[in-house]
């Protein structure tokens, strides 16, 4: 959904939305409701997340009897986070995201299983069997609602909840704000006015859509946590895993295990990426260390400090980066062809497949930009 500015705002920091604390859906809302007594007496204490999810499911079940009905009606009926995607669609995601998607699904399934006894304790509140109300599908919808739409708001610690941080609030109307990496506004709870406020960071013209930034997240993170991909996202990147890092290195290198150990000890084995500006400094640094010849190995500390060891080391690391990039391009093109083929066969999966297609297409653009930049760097050594 969209939210537009209906008056010019030329002053940085001007409030354009102010939502009173009483309009926020928090654990305080839950504890003041018919669920409060059940939450308070349950052992072990339920988490703030479980309380919010339970309230959402119960209020959705109440239908027209719920005072939150207008808000619940604007919420998505279904979500597109990886936990909601069909397994065959998840298999088309990039390897790092695929692993995290499966972890997410396992987490939600365990969350549901561990909550069933608490749901059973709520039976006195309902004429219908609670297992029909608090189904896995219903809890998944509530979990996605909180995970994708909650704003940060640190609440005071109160009895009756587990030790997990109580920092989530659902803010009706603010759900109209879409994400943009080029943020126009900032959002926070104002302790003085006791309102959740949206303030301008730059000027906001009349009839111009107002955006909020969920954070400097890459597209894989946006898809995992929020269920969407942002085209031309400046933070977008393609991750290089450890197995890909060594894929094109000689298996005869007797120092390889030691090199990998050094990278792990110094935090250079993760967050290695290709971005719009080509291979990241971390990726090239890791490759330079891995490409050290036996006679250069004692210089590994200098590599981590960004020093150039030799032209041969520089060229070899660029060549390996280019090979990895070409591999990803071929893999991405193959997946895109597969996505197109499945879309023609299975209409029911079109929306989910389009999401994967958008992600993969954005990553292909990054890889194509990277291979061109690498080619220019390689030219300097020919």
């Amino acid at each position: 959904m969209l939210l537009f500015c209906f008056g010019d705002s030329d002053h940085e920091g001007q409030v354009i939305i102010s939502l009173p604390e009483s309009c926020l859906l928090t654990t305080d809302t839950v504890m003041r409701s018919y669920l409060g007594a059940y939450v308070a007496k349950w052992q072990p204490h339920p988490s703030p997340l479980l309380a919010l999810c339970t309230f959402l499911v119960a209020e959705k079940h109440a239908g027209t009897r719920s005072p939150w009905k207008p808000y619940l009606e604007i919420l998505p009926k279904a979500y597109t986070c990886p936990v909601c995607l069909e397994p065959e669609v998840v298999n088309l995601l990039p390897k790092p995201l695929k692993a995290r998607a499966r972890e997410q699904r396992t987490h939600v399934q365990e969350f549901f299983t561990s909550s069933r006894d608490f749901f059973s304790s709520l039976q006195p509140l309902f004429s219908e069997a609670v297992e029909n109300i608090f189904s896995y599908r219903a809890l998944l919808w509530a979990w996605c609602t909180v995970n994708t739409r909650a704003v940060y708001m640190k609440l005071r610690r109160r009895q009756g909840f587990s030790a997990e941080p109580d920092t989530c609030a659902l803010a009706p109307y603010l759900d109209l704000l879409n994400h943009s990496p080029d943020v126009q506004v900032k959002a926070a709870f104002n302790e003085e006015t006791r309102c959740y406020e949206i303030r301008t960071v730059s000027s906001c013209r009349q009839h111009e859509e107002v955006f909020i930034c969920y954070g400097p997240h890459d597209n894989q993170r946006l898809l995992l946590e929020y269920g969407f991909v942002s085209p031309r996202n400046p933070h977008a990147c393609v991750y290089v895993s450890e197995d890909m890092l060594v894929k094109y290195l000689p298996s005869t290198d007797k120092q390889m295990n030691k090199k990998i150990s050094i990278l792990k000890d110094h935090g250079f084995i993760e967050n290695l990426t290709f971005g719009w500006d080509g291979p990241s400094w971390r990726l090239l640094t890791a490759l330079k260390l891995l490409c050290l010849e036996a006679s250069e190995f004692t210089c590994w500390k200098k590599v981590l400090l960004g020093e150039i060891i030799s032209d041969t080391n520089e060229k070899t690391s660029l060549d390996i980066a280019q090979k990895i990039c070409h591999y990803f391009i071929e893999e991405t093109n193959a997946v895109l062809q597969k996505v197109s083929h499945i879309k023609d066969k299975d209409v029911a999966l079109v929306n989910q497949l389009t999401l994967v297609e958008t992600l993969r297409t954005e990553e292909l653009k990054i890889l194509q930009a990277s291979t061109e930049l690498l080619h220019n760097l390689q030219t300097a050594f020919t």
Side-chain angles (χ1 to χ4, degrees):
M1 302 181 75
L2 308 179
L3 183 65
F4 293 91
C5 184
F6 288 98
D8 286 338
S9 174
D10 296 323
H11 304 293
E12 181 179 336
Q14 182 173 337
V15 177
I16 55 175
I17 299 176
S18 181
L19 194 65
E21 185 176 15
S22 59
C23 294
L24 301 175
L25 199 167
T26 66
T27 51
D28 285 341
T29 311
V30 179
M31 296 308 289
R32 290 194 301 267
S33 75
Y34 52 91
L35 292 173
Y38 290 84
V39 172
K41 69 181 181 182
W42 184 254
Q43 294 289 341
H45 294 314
S47 66
L49 175 61
L50 177 56
L52 288 173
C53 289
T54 303
F55 185 81
L56 284 171
V57 173
E59 289 298 298
K60 187 177 182 182
H61 176 73
T64 56
R65 293 178 285 113
S66 171
W68 293 91
K69 180 177 179 288
Y71 172 58
L72 295 173
E73 285 185 334
I74 70 169
L75 293 175
K77 301 297 184 289
Y79 290 90
T80 51
C81 301
V83 68
C84 302
L85 303 181
E86 293 298 322
E88 62 185 295
V89 177
V90 172
N91 284 334
L92 298 170
L93 295 172
K95 186 176 179 179
L97 181 56
K98 187 191 307 182
R100 296 178 71 185
R102 288 170 176 165
E103 290 173 1
Q104 188 183 69
R105 183 181 295 272
T106 299
H107 170 73
V108 176
Q109 289 173 339
E110 291 175 350
F111 180 52
F112 172 68
T113 300
S114 65
S115 304
R116 295 177 78 171
D117 287 344
F118 172 66
F119 296 149
S120 295
S121 74
L122 304 178
Q123 187 61 71
L125 295 172
F126 305 96
S127 57
E128 186 178 341
V130 289
E131 54 265 28
N132 295 332
I133 300 171
F134 296 94
S135 63
Y136 174 75
R137 183 176 180 180
L139 185 66
L140 175 61
W141 170 83
W143 184 89
C144 288
T145 297
V146 176
N147 196 60
T148 63
R149 308 179 82 83
V151 297
Y152 178 86
M153 179 179 167
K154 190 171 183 179
L155 298 166
R156 60 183 176 84
R157 179 75 186 278
R158 63 182 304 162
Q159 292 183 340
F161 290 112
S162 65
E164 294 178 29
D166 190 355
T167 56
C168 290
L170 290 168
Y173 187 57
L174 297 189
D175 284 341
L176 298 172
L177 289 168
N178 285 326
H179 165 82
S180 171
D182 304 314
V183 64
Q184 295 175 320
V185 300
K186 59 183 178 180
F189 185 75
N190 189 323
E191 294 289 348
E192 294 182 2
T193 63
R194 305 303 298 175
C195 293
Y196 201 90
E197 297 176 346
I198 302 294
R199 292 177 177 269
T200 58
V201 172
S202 56
S203 60
C204 178
R205 296 180 180 178
Q206 189 173 11
H207 301 149
E208 185 176 68
E209 183 179 356
V210 178
F211 291 96
I212 192 171
C213 182
Y214 299 166
H217 303 317
D218 60 72
N219 278 335
Q220 291 194 23
R221 175 74 180 277
L222 287 175
L223 179 53
L224 182 73
E225 300 293 347
Y226 303 104
F228 70 88
V229 173
S230 179
R232 294 300 302 180
N233 179 0
H235 309 294
C237 61
V238 177
Y239 287 92
V240 179
S241 59
E242 180 181 340
D243 58 336
M244 278 303 306
L245 195 63
V246 301
K247 182 178 177 66
Y248 296 103
L249 294 170
S251 57
T252 55
D253 188 345
K254 296 180 180 179
Q255 296 169 319
M256 185 56 66
N257 289 337
K258 178 61 177 175
K259 291 175 179 177
I260 293 293
S261 179
I262 290 172
L263 291 177
K264 288 181 177 178
D265 290 344
H266 291 80
F268 273 85
I269 206 69
E270 295 180 341
N271 294 324
L272 309 178
T273 60
F274 290 101
W276 294 108
D277 296 328
S280 66
W281 179 83
R282 288 175 56 83
L283 173 56
L284 287 179
T285 299
L287 287 174
K288 288 176 186 179
L289 193 149
L290 292 171
C291 291
L292 287 172
E293 295 181 359
S295 60
E296 300 173 326
F297 183 62
T298 55
C299 300
W300 65 264
K301 288 184 179 180
K302 292 183 178 180
V303 174
L304 296 182
L305 291 173
E307 295 185 29
I308 295 176
I309 305 305
S310 67
D311 285 353
T312 299
N313 179 260
E314 293 288 309
K315 182 180 184 303
T316 304
S317 59
L318 290 174
D319 290 345
I320 297 297
Q322 187 70 280
K323 288 179 180 179
I324 294 173
C325 194
H326 283 163
Y327 174 89
F328 279 139
I329 288 174
E330 291 179 6
E331 179 197 48
T332 303
N333 277 322
V335 171
L336 285 170
Q337 288 180 2
K338 191 172 183 179
V339 167
S340 180
H341 179 67
I342 299 175
K343 285 174 76 173
D344 292 337
K345 289 174 54 182
D346 197 336
V347 179
L349 293 178
V350 167
N351 289 339
Q352 293 187 13
L353 290 167
T354 299
L355 194 61
V356 175
E357 188 175 48
T358 303
L359 174 66
R360 288 287 194 169
T361 300
E362 287 297 303
E363 294 197 347
L364 181 60
K365 294 175 183 176
I366 289 172
L367 292 166
Q368 290 169 336
S370 293
T371 193
E372 185 175 343
L373 287 163
L374 280 167
H375 175 73
N376 293 336
L377 292 172
Q378 287 173 303
T379 302
F381 293 95
T382 57

